[in-house]
Amino acid sequence: MAQMESALAEAMSNIDGAIGIALVDYTSGMSLVTLGDNHALDLNVAAAGNTDVVRAKLRTMEMLELQGSIEDMLITLTSQYHLLRPLTGRSGNGLFLYLVLDRKRANLALARHRLARLEAELEV
């Protein structure tokens, strides 16, 4: 668990505009690790709510018999970006990374790249 917290803390400091980040179990909706400004956003509530988004997309892909996996999902709000990235490794099955960015300060392309790198390095 300490390795996950450390990896997420590093991501928070290396991703411009990061407000919060969480590692979430989408089977239960529970956050395993959350870091960030809870005054700006309750990460546990947001992560649980976005669990439904991930589940819905996975169900839709299954119903459409789409091959492949989800790289990430982007939700754009007027002042924030929300990135959801399901973990694709065997040990990460059922988990996703959830990153909240301040839209004015974030570089979305770079944030997506760094989140992908975090996924590759994360040991669950």
Side-chain angles (χ1 to χ4, degrees):
M1 192 64 80
Q3 187 272 341
M4 286 188 275
E5 287 182 25
S6 175
L8 269 59
E10 185 177 330
M12 281 289 295
S13 64
N14 290 332
I15 299 175
D16 290 337
I19 295 171
I21 191 166
L23 180 63
V24 185
D25 178 344
Y26 64 75
T27 57
S28 68
M30 300 295 295
S31 298
L32 304 177
V33 179
T34 59
L35 293 171
D37 182 1
N38 279 326
H39 296 295
L41 175 72
D42 186 331
L43 284 168
N44 288 310
V45 171
N50 281 299
T51 294
D52 293 333
V53 174
V54 173
R55 287 183 198 152
K57 187 59 188 174
L58 290 170
R59 275 193 312 271
T60 301
M61 288 178 65
E62 188 177 318
M63 288 186 301
L64 294 172
E65 298 179 4
L66 295 176
Q67 300 303 310
S69 60
I70 299 169
E71 269 187 44
D72 58 38
M73 293 180 259
L74 171 65
I75 300 168
T76 58
L77 306 176
T78 54
S79 63
Q80 296 175 343
Y81 293 125
H82 292 229
L83 278 169
L84 308 151
R85 185 174 185 88
L87 301 187
T88 56
R90 273 187 52 224
S91 64
N93 192 25
L95 303 175
F96 70 95
L97 288 167
Y98 174 48
L99 176 65
V100 181
L101 301 165
D102 179 326
R103 190 171 173 156
K104 291 179 184 172
R105 298 180 315 146
N107 178 325
L108 185 57
L110 190 54
R112 288 184 68 223
H113 174 72
R114 289 196 170 143
L115 199 59
R117 189 170 64 198
L118 171 63
E119 177 198 358
E121 297 171 355
L122 196 62
E123 294 178 21
V124 181

